[in-house]
Amino acid sequence: MKILDSNFRKELYKNLIEAGYDKAEAQKIVGAKYFNALKENVMNSLTTLVNNTSEDNFVTLNEEWLANYNNDISELVKMKEYV
């Protein structure tokens, strides 16, 4: 998902400003899209994990996966208050 890339979010924000949106409105649009995409990404990761387990395909979670998951959850908590 492109919106998860910080450079894409910056460019989207810039384009919204250039299109005539005020700063607060542009931030809200980008923030809402980012929050929804990040939430969907976390849910997809968890669904894959559950499906693998259901199919007796037991996957060990590595430190990178856990760190990414924890970072995504922390970001969702912060963004929830914003959007």
Side-chain angles (χ1 to χ4, degrees):
M1 290 178 238
K2 284 184 176 182
I3 194 74
L4 296 178
D5 177 53
S6 64
N7 290 328
F8 179 80
R9 287 193 307 277
K10 289 175 188 173
E11 189 66 27
L12 177 58
Y13 173 77
K14 180 181 153 196
N15 290 340
L16 289 169
I17 296 296
E18 289 175 0
Y21 288 89
D22 65 35
K23 289 181 180 183
E25 197 173 16
Q27 286 176 336
K28 187 165 181 108
I29 291 168
V30 173
K33 289 188 175 297
Y34 174 61
F35 177 82
N36 289 330
L38 186 58
K39 184 177 173 182
E40 182 180 340
N41 190 53
V42 167
M43 291 174 64
N44 287 341
S45 294
L46 292 173
T47 298
T48 299
L49 186 61
V50 168
N51 289 341
N52 283 338
T53 303
S54 294
E55 296 168 1
D56 292 339
N57 182 16
F58 306 111
V59 178
T60 303
L61 303 178
N62 61 32
E63 289 182 33
E64 180 183 0
W65 190 95
L66 290 170
N68 287 335
Y69 175 79
N70 287 333
N71 289 336
D72 289 349
I73 293 299
S74 294
E75 188 72 7
L76 282 172
V77 169
K78 286 188 278 185
M79 291 300 298
K80 184 178 178 190
E81 295 177 17
Y82 175 73
V83 289

